[in-house]
Amino acid sequence: MLGLGVDRLRADMNRLLALLFHQGVLDEQFLQLQQLQDESSPNFVSEVVNIYFHESEKLLKNLRGFLMEREFSDYKKMGIHLNQFMGSSSSIGAKRVRNVCVAFRAASEQNNRAGCLRALELLEHEYCYLKNKLHELFQIQQQRVLAAGVIYPMHN
Amino acid sequence: MTVEPEMDDPRDHFPIGMRVLAVDDDPTCLFFLETLLRRCQYHVTTTNQAVTALKLLRENKNKFDLVISDVHMPDMDGFKLLELVGLEMDLPVIMLSANGDTKLVMKGITHGACDYLLKPVRIEELKNIWQHVIRRKKFDSKDSNHSGNQDNPHSGSGEGGIGSAGTLSDQNGKLNKRRKDQNEDEEEEHDEDGHDDSSTQKKPRVVWSVELHRKFVAAVHQMGIDKAVPKKILDLMNVEKLTRENVASHLQKYRLYLKRLNSIVNQQANMAAALGSTDASYLRMGSLSGLENFHTLNGSGQFHNSAFRSFPSSGMLGRLNTPAGLGMRGLPSSGVTQLGHAQNSSSSTVDQVNFQQVMLPGSHNGSVLQGMPTALELDPLQHIKGVTHARELSTAIDNRTVFPISSGFPDAKITIGSSSNSLLGVTNNTLMLEQNRQGAQGGKVFGNQSSVSVASLNSEFPSPLMDHNRLNDNWSTAAQSSGIHSNSFPLNDCFKQPILHHNNLRDNMSTMALRIGSNRCDVSSVTSMPPQLQDIRADMQCQASLISSNAEQISNHAPPQGWDDHNQDGSYRLNVMCSSINSMIPVNSAVGPTGQGLEPKNTIFLANMDFNSIGQSNFNDPLYMKYDLVNKSAAEASLKLKQGLLMDQRKPQGNHISSNFGSLEDIVSAMVKQNGLLDWIDDCLIQELAHLLKGYSSIW
């Protein structure tokens, strides 16, 4: 029964991952993250993703704050935030989020406020979706750990 | 990771245990990078602050083999960190960024990065970064630090020993083959004990602090960069515990640094020459930041003593820009005499250093230079200092093109509303041009200057105004961008520089003029400008055509016969300036023609215009006696005109710019009321100016 649970959970996880890859939400960089996880850093993926969530929320809040200003004009500053968001998103393999950042950056370089607003909304949407899916993924993994117990070694 | 026995080829094990310092303000990327590096079996230290990184590096020079740093960091620019590390510790630095823009990569290279990686970083790339360490070591003399050193501080000290005892070896690998062989031999038979011994024998790595570097630069300047030899420099510096080898290797780095800057500026100059305009903006950035980095050896140094530092820059700028409202007459002759000197005192070097450092704060503050053009007035005291600086700068320029960036007086125009970066860059360009091709490049110089100023207005790095066709489109854009800058300018605290005093304007201008005169380009540049301007004008929009038509009329009178024509020449210059400015307006698509706040832009534009001509006229004035200038009177006329404008602009108390920019008509009328300055300015000139202003307003 334990084995069944583990297998099923594993299948769930793989299905979810396949879906995310297919949708372009994640890319092979995420696989690299998974490969980095091993005995010496068993929770690497969840750690790095949690850091990413934490930082991204800050960035999104700042970006939203900028665009909500009535007389916002510091596109450069926004560009810096975007740059960071792009960097971290690409580092964890969040492809769609990163792509929206690219579009966002283009709009900000043109000082196109309307375009920036649209991009920000899209960005928030993509980010939320990513976050939900990754949470789901981690939940499955946690369940796998529980289900496997001490009998089966944990592998991704 | 285990300690491998030395019997094995050290190269196989060297990468293991290589000590890397990773710097990135983004925690996600930093953590990711750290994990990757550990997976490559390196020994990793991380920090999210550049200043912390520098502290760590300085604490123990030999603690790290390699530095990986992000480009965009809040506390310090990644490129600056790069420069500092390269200069002080001579460690290979790899840049990291999410942005793979060619310009940034180029900037990284010119600042000495061994590599530029794009995020997301892949582990395969990190597996190879050790090559940079080896490469550098190979070119360092003697000892290599490690074969199989894993977490071994001795390797660091060995490397340090190599560095210091290293002589002329340098990251450029000028070391001769013999040493390289030595390295290899030593590497192979190296064992930890032997290593320890050899490393302990080596002297500790020298820290090139700001003071030390300043002395070094002073000594070098005294001798002339080409003639400087380590032994003499060492004697001049008179510092204990400094060896000839230390000086030699530092000198080599310094030369490369200058060469790099030089080539960048040259490139720009060439481009500018070819295009009749310069896009010095990003070059400026590169060179400027490079210089800043070079001189601000300790990262925090850039801001200290900002008052003093800012002075030179503002002083120079002020000189260049201000229309010497107080009177072009009475230009100090000292400036002229000073120009002739080829030698700079060490203080000048310091000033230069300071100047450059000023630039840095300026840029951070939203560009000191931006404030410059509009009514920069220096304290009388500062003025004198500024003059000194300027002189020295110019002399320095004589010796070297790039380094004395601050001496780019002709760039005064450029400084108008330009970021500090642009100022410096432009200065260099201008200076270099002047130095190298006096007379021939007059047009180019002029072009440079104008473009620089325009470009700087945008405070971006607009692409060069290569395309006349673009001028039309960008003209309003540029105006806007310049407007933006000028608007933002007064908000900045960059005015903490002691800038604004009327008295200095004149003196500054004269000194500046002298400088320009020494370069001899201005006048000729103005005259040679017309053809380009004419072409440009043809492409301009209607307001431009106003200028061009005026210019055309006036060009007929150039070269001026004398004071009679100066009014016309002045307006010609004005027009020329306008045209050039217009044409030079960088194509900054970012500053779209949103049509906001046109008014200020107009004023700024005009102000800039004035500055340019004033600069030139300043130049002409004192040099009149000394040089055979063609457009003396033209320069004078424009200068006076500018003076009037500037005077008016300066009049308002605090933020001259903002108040002045409010209304062009005010400026014009103020000009009319200027005491004695506008006596000789023809009414028609003023009217023309007003007409132009109106024309601009209507257009925008």
Side-chain angles (χ1 to χ4, degrees), chain B residues 185-294:
Chain B
D185 291 342
E186 284 175 353
E187 250 182 62
E188 276 158 13
E189 35 189 305
H190 186 105
D191 69 321
E192 297 217 40
D193 290 342
H195 191 76
D196 290 346
D197 289 342
S198 55
S199 60
T200 50
Q201 284 166 11
K202 300 293 181 265
K203 293 181 210 147
R205 202 177 261 263
V206 172
V207 178
W208 280 92
S209 66
V210 175
E211 283 302 317
L212 207 55
H213 180 71
R214 199 165 5 126
K215 284 201 188 128
F216 169 81
V217 171
V220 169
H221 283 213
Q222 223 171 312
M223 287 187 282
I225 185 72
D226 294 326
K227 295 204 293 267
V229 283
K231 188 83 183 85
K232 283 204 204 135
I233 297 176
L234 191 61
D235 293 338
L236 278 171
M237 283 175 71
N238 195 18
V239 169
E240 292 177 359
K241 296 192 199 149
L242 197 64
T243 69
R244 189 196 151 278
E245 287 79 19
N246 299 140
V247 174
S249 76
H250 196 74
L251 176 65
Q252 198 165 37
K253 287 184 217 171
Y254 183 63
R255 281 205 173 115
L256 287 164
Y257 173 82
L258 290 183
K259 199 159 42 136
R260 183 198 327 146
L261 289 168
N262 203 1
S263 66
I264 293 175
V265 181
N266 267 333
Q267 248 176 39
Q268 295 241 332
N270 289 336
M271 252 180 12
L275 302 171
S277 68
T278 51
D279 175 26
S281 55
Y282 77 83
L283 278 184
R284 273 175 276 146
M285 290 298 281
S287 56
L288 175 60
S289 53
L291 281 177
E292 289 167 345
N293 291 336
F294 193 84

Side-chain angles (χ1 to χ4, degrees), chain B residues 138-181:
Chain B
K138 276 213 154 302
F139 295 131
D140 280 358
S141 64
K142 314 196 181 176
D143 256 22
S144 37
N145 56 16
H146 40 259
S147 12
N149 273 332
Q150 291 73 347
D151 316 340
N152 190 345
H154 299 302
S155 57
S157 54
E159 181 184 0
I162 294 173
S164 58
T167 74
L168 294 179
S169 64
D170 218 347
Q171 57 264 40
N172 291 322
K174 294 223 179 123
L175 200 47
N176 51 28
K177 205 145 190 332
R178 203 175 346 134
R179 220 169 255 127
K180 198 164 148 186
D181 295 340

Side-chain angles (χ1 to χ4, degrees), chain B residues 362-468:
Chain B
S363 55
H364 285 286
N365 291 334
S367 124
V368 171
L369 296 182
Q370 281 178 351
M372 293 302 189
T374 50
L376 283 183
E377 298 168 346
L378 301 173
D379 281 330
L381 292 180
Q382 289 168 340
H383 158 259
I384 294 172
K385 290 186 209 160
V387 174
T388 309
H389 292 312
R391 165 179 51 121
E392 286 159 343
L393 289 175
S394 58
T395 57
I397 294 176
D398 293 338
N399 298 331
R400 279 161 320 219
T401 51
V402 174
F403 182 55
I405 287 182
S406 44
S407 53
F409 298 113
D411 296 334
K413 308 175 197 172
I414 299 173
T415 60
I416 298 176
S418 63
S419 63
S420 53
N421 288 338
S422 51
L423 173 61
L424 288 186
V426 176
T427 309
N428 278 338
N429 284 337
T430 313
L431 289 174
M432 285 180 49
L433 285 177
E434 292 175 345
Q435 288 292 325
N436 302 329
R437 320 157 223 186
Q438 293 185 354
Q441 323 285 323
K444 291 186 231 163
V445 171
F446 184 84
N448 285 346
Q449 294 172 342
S450 314
S451 58
V452 176
S453 55
V454 180
S456 56
L457 288 178
N458 292 324
S459 75
E460 296 287 349
F461 304 116
S463 49
L465 294 180
M466 316 192 176
D467 201 350
H468 286 179

